[in-house]
Each structure stands twice: as structure tokens, then as C-alpha cells.
């Protein structure tokens, strides 16, 4: 570890951790020839299927032997996935041809499968949270969420595990060798979110009330389908029913859940984009260890869903990093990027840092954690290193002196730097102190990468007086620094 002073009195300790994107971390995905092409045209599924059916059996056996030799050791469940993909295209084959050998069925599946390197381009935007159990000696375990960027700039959310000792020594475990994705399943919806999202579409009117007012606060797809049918049946006396149905289906499609086998390790689990709103990626997950009033603990993350054109804030919920529920967020304060939840309620309400105006830090409140109607600005760009915009670097950390929020600023030449805010514990919209100089800038040997001149974090955690802060290096790789929280707070300038 090396220690270097900042411009002020805070010493930042580099842990020496250097997480580089691992191109060998691949997952198996469905691949349909022709669908990847840009422009008009149908898939070439039918001709590919016929070519597989036309092969002699000895050719099939030889090809499967070759595939096994090249890919079997790279995946825990290669044949299972190939059979699943084969089943997806079997409906295109007549009954006689569908009675094929086990080897030909595997080859058919392989012809509709490809490997996707989840970290093929970059590994960045880390967020770290303490995850039990903790060692009585003072050591603790944690989970780091990472953004893997692959072909086509598509982003997924992966994980690493690590530990920190009582004296602040940080270790990141080697990732397990077989990353896997899980298939989505339906999740329950929230009526309040539907109303809020439809209001954003300027469609929370009579049609919406007809569908939603007859539903409970939480409902499933079957209940929603019944109300859709009732609305469609009443089309003769209503206007714009098709538009309302389309808007509500869009909201509904953003909720789902995934569950990984318990036999998989945390570092093997990959949250893959499933909903239309996130078809181009799940970005910038900001995880927080949230303690409820009852003392129960859940882990939440806000993240940016990107469909290739539009962005939206979504919420991840988990208790064990094995089962995850995904749902959309709504409200003016949840627009854009950078919503970060506080780790507990304040005066009975959920609180979040927001950057809904795209350039300033703000505080938002919510009664249900999913609808964020307004935000109050607390910091605007004033320093040279933040002239372009401000934002947060994850959820605030509670200290005796106040809420410690790590921020980022973007200055000339699109150079990123990290700063600090100290917020009042009872009134987080009240800024107590701030850093007048950055605590972290791109080092000379950290400038180059996927996006040059970037240092960026989606969240760290406190372990005693130690702040453990992972950060992205040029949106290419991940490093970790530590610093004294008391020293950091003491270096701030009171307002």
C-alpha cells in the first residue's frame, strides 16, 4: 500500500488493488443469425436449422466432440443451455424432423448460441457494501458490484467479494470461473408507481383510474391482465385506450425478478438486462445496506436502465445477493442518473441524493422508496474542477458529525474529480461543510482507458474510522483507496 497526501490534510491510501476487465468471463446467450444485422431483413433461422438437419450423423458427432473440447471447460452447464436454446427453435421444425438424436439437438442449440464477454470492453463503476457475517476480530466481509461493459457497449451488473481487516487492509477475492445469468420471472407491481409513471407520460387520467383503482396496492400480471381486458372491452365509450394500454404495458415490463442457484458464488452471478427499458444496459448501480426501523437489513441499489436512446432510474432489491427484484422508479427527482438512497429513514421518510437537473446535487424525500416527486438543490457547481456538473458517488455514510457524502465533479477537458459534502443528520438538505479541493483526481498513470481522465465511484462504506472507497479508473478498471473518516471530516470547510 502507498500513502499520498491530497492538497489538504487528508491522506489517501492506495491499496494496490487493480481489477482489470477479464475477457475470459463469458456467458452463454441466444444467437439468431440475421437478427444481429443492422437494417431490414428477417432472421436466417430457417436455413440454419435445415443445414443442421441435412448433416450426416457422423458429422454431427464430430462437431459436438469439437464443441465439447473447446467450450465444455469454460461453462458449468454448457449442454443444459444448448438444449434450452434448441427447445426455442424446435417449433420451426415439423414433427418428423423434430425426432432427432441427442447429439443433433445439442448441435442445433449450439448453432443458436454464442459466448458474450461481459467484461470485453471495460470493468468500472464499483459500489461496495458490508455483507455479513463479520469476524469478531474486527475484520469484515463486503460485496462490490461492478459494471461490466461488453460488445456493443452493453452493460451488466456483476459482483466481487472482499474483506477488510481491523487496521483497514483491503483484499478482493479472485472471481469464480463460471459467470452465469438467470432467467427473469414475473414480479408484483405497485399501484403508486403506475400512477406516477403514467403521470410522467401525461396519461394518468380516466383510463388509468379505471384499470388501477380496482387493483390492490400490489398486484401481479394476471390481475393486471384482467383489468386490461376490461378496459379493452369498454373501448366504445372511451378515448385513447390503446395509448393507455401501451403505456401501462411499458411500466409493467420493467418489473421482474431473478434467482440464482444457491450453488453459485456471488462473484458468478451476473444481472443481465431483461426488460425493454434496459435492453442496452444496466449502468451505475449504487448499492446501500439499508437498515429498517425494525432492525432488519435489506440491500437496495438504484441503477440506470438504458434502452439505447432513453434512460430511466430502476431499483434492485435483495437480501442475500441470490434473489433480486427489479422495479421502476418514478417522479421528477428520479429523472436522469445518480439517485442514491440513504441507509435508513430520516424522520420516517426515505431520503436520497438526486441529480435530476443533470448538473447539481439535491436531496429528495419519498414515502415509499419508489416515487420521488421533488428534489431540493443543495450544491451547485462553483469550483474550477466541477464547472461542467456535479453528482454523487453513492449513498451517504452516517457519522456522528453528519452524513458523509462523496461527490464527483466534472471540470475542463471533461476531467473527473471526487469531493465531499457533510450533511446534517436530521435535515440532510442542510450542508454543514464541504471540501474546497478534490480528495481524488486521475493519477498520471490512471488517465488512459475506455473514457480518459475519469475517477468515478458508485459507493463505499465505513469500517470503524476507515472509509473504503472503490473507484473506476478511466471507466476501464477498478482501484480501491482508503482514508480516515475523522481526518476527512476534519479537513472540510464549514459553511
Amino acid at each position: 500500500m502507498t500513502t499520498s497526501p491530497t492538497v489538504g490534510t487528508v491522506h489517501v491510501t492506495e491499496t494496490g488493488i487493480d481489477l482489470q476487465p477479464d475477457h475470459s468471463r463469458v456467458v452463454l446467450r441466444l444467437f439468431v443469425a440475421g437478427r444481429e444485422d443492422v437494417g431490414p431483413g428477417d432472421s436466417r433461422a430457417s436455413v440454419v436449422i435445415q443445414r443442421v438437419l441435412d448433416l450426416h450423423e457422423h458429422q454431427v458427432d464430430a462437431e459436438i466432440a469439437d464443441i465439447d473440447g473447446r467450450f465444455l471447460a469454460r461453462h458449468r452447464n454448457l449442454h443444459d443451455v444448448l438444449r434450452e436454446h434448441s427447445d426455442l427453435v424446435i417449433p420451426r421444425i415439423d414433427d418428423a424432423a423434430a425426432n432427432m438424436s441427442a447429439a443433433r439437438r445439442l448441435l442445433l442449440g449450439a448453432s443458436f448460441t454464442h459466448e458474450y464477454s461481459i467484461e470485453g470492453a471495460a470493468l468500472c463503476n464499483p459500489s461496495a457494501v458490508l455483507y455479513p457475517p463479520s469476524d469478531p476480530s474486527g475484520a469484515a466481509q463486503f460485496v462490490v458490484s461492478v459494471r461490466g461493459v461488453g460488445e456493443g457497449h452493453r452493460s451488466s451488473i456483476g459482483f466481487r467479494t472482499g474483506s477488510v481487516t481491523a487496521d483497514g487492509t483491503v483484499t478482493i477475492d479472485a472471481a469464480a470461473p463460471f459467470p452465469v445469468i438467470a432467467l427473469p420471472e414475473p414480479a408484483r407491481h405497485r399501484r403508486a408507481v403506475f400512477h406516477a409513471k403514467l403521470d410522467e407520460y401525461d396519461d394518468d387520467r380516466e383510463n388509468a383510474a379505471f384499470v388501477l383503482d380496482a387493483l390492490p396496492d400490489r398486484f401481479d400480471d394476471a390481475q393486471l391482465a384482467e383489468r386490461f381486458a376490461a378496459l379493452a372491452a369498454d373501448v366504445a365509450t372511451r378515448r385513447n385506450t390503446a395509448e393507455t394500454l401501451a403505456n401501462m404495458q411499458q411500466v409493467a415490463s420493467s418489473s421482474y425478478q431473478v434467482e440464482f442457484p444457491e450453488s453459485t458464488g456471488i462473484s458468478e452471478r451476473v444481472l443481465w438486462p431483461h426488460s425493454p427499458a434496459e435492453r442496452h444496459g444496466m449502468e451505475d448501480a449504487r448499492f446501500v445496506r439499508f437498515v429498517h426501523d425494525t432492525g432488519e437489513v435489506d440491500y437496495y441499489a438504484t441503477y440506470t436502465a438504458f434502452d439505447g436512446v432513453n434512460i430511466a432510474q430502476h431499483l434492485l432489491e435483495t437480501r442475500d445477493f441470490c434473489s433480486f427484484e427489479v422495479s421502476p422508479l418514478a417522479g421528477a427527482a428520479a429523472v436522469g442518473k445518480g439517485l442514491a438512497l440513504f441507509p435508513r429513514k430520516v424522520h420516517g421518510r426515505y431520503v436520497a441524493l438526486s441529480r435530476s437537473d443533470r448538473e447539481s446535487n439535491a436531496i429528495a424525500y419519498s414515502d415509499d422508496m419508489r416515487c420521488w416527486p421533488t428534489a431540493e438543490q443543495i450544491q451547485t457547481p462553483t469550483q474550477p474542477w466541477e464547472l461542467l456538473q456535479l453528482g454523487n458517488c453513492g449513498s451517504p455514510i452516517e457519522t456522528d458529525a453528519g452524513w458523509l457524502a462523496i461527490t464527483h465533479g466534472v471540470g475542463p477537458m471533461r476531467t473527473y474529480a471526487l469531493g465531499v459534502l457533510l450533511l446534517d443528520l436530521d435535515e440532510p438538505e442542510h450542508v454543514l461543510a464541504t471540501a474546497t479541493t478534490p480528495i481524488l483526481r486521475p493519477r498520471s498513470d490512471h488517465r488512459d482507458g475506455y473514457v480518459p481522465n475519469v475517477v468515478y465511484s458508485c459507493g463505499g462504506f465505513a469500517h470503524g474510522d476507515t472509509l473504503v472507497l472503490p473507484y473506476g479508473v478511466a471507466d476501464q478498471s477498478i482501484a480501491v483507496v482508503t482514508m480516515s473518516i475523522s481526518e476527512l471530516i476534519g479537513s472540510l470547510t464549514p459553511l
Side-chain angles (χ1 to χ4, degrees):
M1 297 190 301
T2 59
T3 302
S4 58
T6 64
V7 177
T9 59
V10 181
H11 286 76
V12 176
T13 300
E14 295 280 359
T15 63
I17 291 171
D18 179 24
L19 295 181
Q20 294 288 335
D22 184 349
H23 300 170
S24 71
R25 291 180 63 76
V26 293
V27 295
L28 296 170
R29 296 286 300 154
L30 181 71
F31 176 82
V32 180
R35 282 184 55 181
E36 83 283 10
D37 294 340
V38 176
D42 296 327
S43 78
R44 292 181 282 111
S46 295
V47 294
V48 170
I49 292 170
Q50 191 57 52
R51 289 167 188 158
V52 173
L53 296 178
D54 289 343
L55 291 174
H56 293 292
E57 200 66 36
H58 72 272
Q59 293 176 293
V60 171
D61 292 338
E63 187 62 22
I64 287 299
D66 178 66
I67 290 171
D68 284 350
R70 290 185 294 130
F71 294 100
L72 203 57
R74 289 165 63 89
H75 301 279
R76 175 178 295 172
N77 57 346
L78 175 65
H79 284 192
D80 290 342
V81 174
L82 298 187
R83 281 188 286 266
E84 289 172 3
H85 290 177
S86 174
D87 290 343
L88 292 176
V89 299
I90 285 293
R92 283 180 173 260
I93 304 174
D94 61 45
D95 292 341
N99 187 24
M100 62 184 74
S101 68
R104 194 178 298 269
R105 185 176 291 268
L106 286 175
L107 182 56
L108 180 63
S111 301
F112 287 85
T113 301
H114 76 135
E115 288 186 328
Y116 185 91
S117 177
I118 54 177
E119 301 171 11
L123 188 72
C124 55
N125 296 7
S127 173
V129 288
L130 288 170
Y131 183 63
S134 294
D135 192 307
S137 67
Q141 295 177 313
F142 61 87
V143 171
V144 183
S145 68
V146 297
R147 174 186 174 191
V149 184
E151 178 185 352
H153 194 73
R154 179 175 290 181
S155 301
S156 58
I157 299 172
F159 301 98
R160 300 290 191 275
T161 58
S163 60
V164 54
T165 63
D167 66 358
T169 301
V170 180
T171 303
I172 300 289
D173 305 321
F178 300 119
V180 294
I181 56 180
L183 295 177
E185 298 179 354
R188 292 171 65 82
H189 310 288
R190 290 169 172 83
R191 189 174 61 190
V193 172
F194 267 75
H195 278 299
K197 294 297 289 184
L198 289 170
D199 185 59
E200 293 176 16
Y201 305 150
D202 192 26
D203 196 15
D204 190 26
R205 295 190 290 272
E206 181 188 17
N207 290 340
F210 178 80
V211 172
L212 296 174
D213 290 356
L215 292 170
D217 290 339
R218 297 200 64 181
F219 52 89
D220 59 26
D221 283 350
Q223 292 169 299
L224 183 61
E226 290 180 2
R227 297 306 303 159
F228 281 174
L231 179 62
D234 199 20
V235 65
T237 64
R238 297 178 179 276
R239 298 182 60 191
N240 303 319
T241 55
E243 179 182 356
T244 300
L245 286 170
N247 287 335
M248 297 184 83
Q249 287 168 341
Q250 180 175 338
V251 177
S253 69
S254 294
S255 293
Y256 62 89
Q257 57 189 2
V258 294
E259 183 169 357
F260 293 89
E262 292 185 1
S263 59
T264 59
I266 290 178
S267 64
E268 292 180 298
R269 300 164 189 166
V270 178
L271 297 173
W272 181 263
H274 287 299
S275 75
E278 60 192 24
R279 65 169 60 92
H280 205 74
M282 305 167 75
E283 304 177 357
D284 302 6
R286 287 164 160 81
F287 271 87
V288 63
R289 182 181 186 271
F290 190 91
V291 181
H292 296 275
D293 294 340
T294 61
E296 292 183 303
V297 174
D298 281 305
Y299 292 86
Y300 297 106
T302 55
Y303 72 93
T304 301
F306 180 43
D307 67 4
V309 177
N310 304 296
I311 59 175
Q313 285 290 293
H314 284 193
L315 181 70
L316 279 167
E317 306 172 58
T318 186
R319 183 160 288 187
D320 55 9
F321 289 92
C322 187
S323 299
F324 297 84
E325 184 173 338
V326 176
S327 58
L329 297 175
V335 171
K337 294 187 174 184
L339 197 73
L341 301 172
F342 279 55
R344 65 169 174 84
K345 289 182 178 179
V346 176
H347 296 303
R349 303 185 74 194
Y350 298 100
V351 193
L353 292 168
S354 170
R355 195 186 67 181
S356 54
D357 70 352
R358 301 173 62 195
E359 65 174 16
S360 304
N361 281 317
I363 291 290
Y365 287 89
S366 172
D367 294 322
D368 62 4
M369 197 189 283
R370 289 165 180 80
C371 299
W372 301 88
T374 60
E376 180 179 344
Q377 190 179 84
I378 61 170
Q379 185 190 29
T380 58
T382 58
Q383 302 292 336
W385 49 279
E386 59 190 28
L387 291 178
L388 276 69
Q389 67 189 49
L390 284 164
N392 68 72
C393 285
S395 299
I397 295 168
E398 185 170 7
T399 73
D400 291 340
W403 295 105
L404 184 68
I406 307 301
T407 64
H408 69 265
V410 185
M413 300 300 294
R414 201 198 179 197
T415 298
Y416 280 63
L418 303 191
V420 187
L421 288 178
L422 187 66
L423 310 177
D424 187 86
L425 286 176
D426 293 321
E427 297 178 345
E429 61 272 18
H430 180 203
V431 179
L432 301 177
T434 186
T436 55
T437 56
I439 62 169
L440 200 66
R441 288 179 180 270
R443 290 179 357 206
S444 59
D445 59 341
H446 274 180
R447 291 181 56 190
D448 299 325
Y450 196 52
V451 183
N453 305 307
V454 171
V455 290
Y456 192 87
S457 177
C458 287
F461 63 87
H463 181 57
D465 186 53
T466 300
L467 171 63
V468 178
L469 186 67
Y471 68 94
V473 177
D475 273 3
Q476 181 70 50
S477 59
I478 293 171
V480 181
V481 294
T482 62
M483 61 194 82
S484 164
I485 291 175
S486 57
E487 189 178 85
L488 181 58
I489 292 174
S491 73
L492 302 180
T493 301
L495 296 183

